[in-house]
Amino acid sequence: MLRNDALTAFPRKPALAAALALLAGLLGSPAHAQSAADGQKLAFDRGKGNCLTCHVIKGGDLPGSIGPELKDIKAKYPDRNELVAIVSDEPKRNPQSVMPPFGRNRILTEQEINAIVDFLQTL
Amino acid sequence: MTQRFTILLGSVVAAFAALVAFSPRVVAADKVDPAADAKAFQNFFFQKFPRLKPEEFVNGPYSMNEDLKRQWQEKEEFPPYEFALDAGKEMFATPFKNGKTYADCFPNGGIGIRQNYPYFDTKEGKVITLELALNRCREANGEAPYSYVKDEMASLTAYMAFTSRGKPFDIKIPDDPRALEAFENGKRYFYTRRGQMNFSCASCHVQSPGERIRAEILAPALGILNAMPIYRSEWSGMGTTSRRFVTCNSQTRAVPLEPQSDEYRDVEYYLSYVSNGLPISGPGARP
């Protein structure tokens, strides 16, 4: 992989992200399931994540092929912080990437990114 | 997919490295080497799609996919741009109120010259596109200019492209520092990321040609202007080069420029020059 792990970004506000992650964990599964469902909506919404433009994702119609299929994500990225970093600013991790920096460019809020990451972890 | 994508990205990086190697960041104007740029650019696409013949790149998304190619061949039996072509031919032959015609404004009476546009005008120091030249012709003859994006402008350019089909793009960069600057400026615009989505033109048309963005197949940047103007079902009509540039910018949430602004004309100059040698195929039809 081109990606240099040494360049892997930490979330922009690590403390807050960690707190949110902790909170999500503490809240237990019903809230988590709710958040994952919200995350799916945000990921599929053309005005929000619009992730289907580039990724095949289970349950989504008319996917593009610019990025890899999003599957087995939990196994591939056991550390959710890494997923937050990917969605927030993938070009920071891989300068060549065409994936938009959803967090840095304020396309999605931190809260929305967390919900999407909850969804990604169900894949 | 991930594997393939990694390889794909790898080759893009290699090509960019080659581009950079061929055209070191411009320090002095004499360092700009458009010929080497064009060669590296074309080689990048030839290596990426080794099964395509050079002249096949001019069919945009249709060159990228066998199923689509079949659709295109079927479409060409009853081309949806035919009405525009007929209208353009008639408009071209109809005299202005002062009795002159478009033919009076162009070399060779405007027939078979599409491949020479845009050109760099050394008197004015600017890139002159065919669309701009057509409106200037109208204004010089006391007629109001047309909208740059569709309708009459698309019809006129459709007809002029049609009379030039098969002729290889032959864009010249005169020995004038301003011409080199226009080329460099167009190149810079093409590779600069912008807008909320952080896309450059190259993100889609150099890094991802042949990939699907939702249901659309991305056209390769090589030969991307040879088929202009195009009919698009999505537009239910024709669109010019100007229209396509504006659409690509706004679809990616970047602020589009004015049609025929300096930057757009410079991008057109850059993209046309690096496709030198590939045949004009316009007007085109697209899904």
Side-chain angles (χ1 to χ4, degrees):
Chain A
M1 197 66 202
L2 260 178
R3 183 182 296 146
N4 179 348
D5 282 323
L7 288 177
T8 300
F10 291 104
R12 278 188 315 139
K13 291 177 185 151
L16 183 56
L20 277 172
L22 213 95
L23 210 79
L26 287 176
L27 286 175
S29 58
H32 194 272
Q34 180 52 44
S35 175
D38 290 348
Q40 176 169 28
K41 264 193 223 112
L42 289 164
F44 289 4
D45 184 336
R46 282 178 191 247
K48 288 287 186 178
N50 201 9
C51 315
L52 289 164
T53 297
C54 298
H55 295 283
V56 172
I57 306 172
K58 203 177 81 195
D61 294 331
L62 287 182
S65 66
I66 294 175
E69 179 174 357
L70 298 184
K71 59 168 190 200
D72 306 328
I73 294 295
K74 184 126 197 193
K76 191 163 174 192
Y77 298 102
D79 177 3
R80 83 188 307 280
N81 286 335
E82 195 169 352
L83 288 170
V84 171
I86 292 174
V87 181
S88 298
D89 194 352
E90 177 63 5
K92 185 165 175 192
R93 296 158 45 92
N94 167 14
Q96 300 290 333
S97 185
V98 300
M99 178 159 156
F102 291 96
R104 172 161 52 95
N105 277 12
R106 298 169 193 277
I107 304 162
L108 298 169
T109 64
E110 231 160 307
Q111 205 181 356
E112 288 169 333
I113 290 173
N114 270 293
I116 288 177
V117 167
D118 286 341
F119 166 60
L120 291 175
Q121 290 192 305
T122 68
L123 297 174
Chain B
M1 169 69 224
T2 310
Q3 200 54 35
R4 185 173 61 86
F5 197 81
T6 309
I7 294 165
L8 195 144
L9 265 184
S11 61
V12 167
V13 174
F16 279 167
L19 273 174
V20 172
F22 274 112
S23 67
R25 204 71 237 131
V26 205
V27 186
D30 58 71
K31 289 248 179 80
V32 184
D33 190 348
D37 263 14
K39 194 155 185 235
F41 183 88
Q42 298 197 357
N43 280 339
F44 167 72
F45 286 97
F46 295 159
Q47 276 162 25
K48 187 171 174 117
F49 300 102
R51 283 206 301 262
L52 284 189
K53 294 196 207 79
E55 65 272 20
E56 287 179 307
F57 283 91
V58 302
N59 297 316
Y62 291 122
S63 60
M64 299 280 98
N65 174 298
E66 278 303 319
D67 284 344
L68 270 185
K69 201 184 224 161
R70 221 166 303 119
Q71 275 179 37
W72 170 66
Q73 280 158 347
E74 281 162 25
K75 244 188 203 159
E76 284 295 304
E77 312 239 330
F78 301 99
Y81 51 73
E82 196 115 286
F83 73 95
L85 200 50
D86 291 344
K89 187 172 182 182
E90 196 178 317
M91 286 163 68
F92 201 83
T94 309
F96 302 124
K97 285 192 272 323
N98 68 5
K100 296 232 169 117
T101 63
Y102 290 107
D104 296 316
C105 296
F106 291 95
N108 200 40
I111 303 303
I113 59 163
R114 160 71 181 105
Q115 70 283 0
N116 303 322
Y117 287 78
Y119 69 93
F120 190 84
D121 185 72
T122 46
K123 270 185 245 108
E124 216 180 316
K126 276 188 187 308
V127 171
I128 310 295
T129 63
L130 188 58
E131 294 171 25
L132 187 64
L134 277 162
N135 262 349
R136 284 188 169 181
C137 175
R138 292 184 57 76
E139 291 182 290
N141 286 290
E143 305 282 335
Y146 286 140
S147 150
Y148 279 115
V149 292
K150 52 187 180 177
D151 302 329
E152 293 94 344
M153 186 57 79
S155 296
L156 284 167
T157 51
Y159 173 64
M160 292 180 83
F162 188 75
T163 67
S164 315
R165 273 196 176 176
K167 291 185 193 285
F169 244 136
D170 187 17
I171 306 302
K172 303 251 183 350
I173 299 186
D175 187 14
D176 180 327
R178 294 168 305 173
L180 285 175
E181 204 180 301
F183 176 86
E184 272 298 301
N185 189 36
K187 178 178 169 185
R188 194 177 314 115
Y189 187 86
F190 187 78
Y191 287 98
T192 302
R193 291 174 181 249
R194 63 178 59 80
Q196 203 182 19
M197 295 302 182
N198 198 40
F199 292 133
S200 69
C201 310
S203 303
C204 288
H205 298 294
V206 175
Q207 273 186 269
S208 321
E211 297 296 343
R212 262 174 295 108
I213 180 159
R214 287 280 180 178
E216 291 194 90
I217 306 247
L218 287 167
L222 178 61
I224 202 166
L225 294 175
N226 296 50
M228 292 290 147
I230 49 174
Y231 179 93
R232 279 185 73 81
S233 318
E234 189 198 344
W235 292 338
S236 353
M238 300 289 296
T240 58
T241 300
S242 292
R243 184 175 192 176
R244 192 62 252 191
F245 286 3
V246 167
T247 308
C248 280
N249 271 344
S250 39
Q251 276 179 351
T252 56
R253 299 189 209 166
V255 183
L257 305 173
E258 280 302 305
Q260 299 301 316
S261 59
D262 286 345
E263 275 100 338
Y264 276 172
R265 279 183 290 112
D266 289 352
V267 175
E268 187 174 339
Y269 192 46
Y270 168 72
L271 281 175
S272 304
Y273 180 84
V274 294
S275 294
N276 264 351
L278 269 61
I280 296 298
S281 60
R286 297 289 180 259

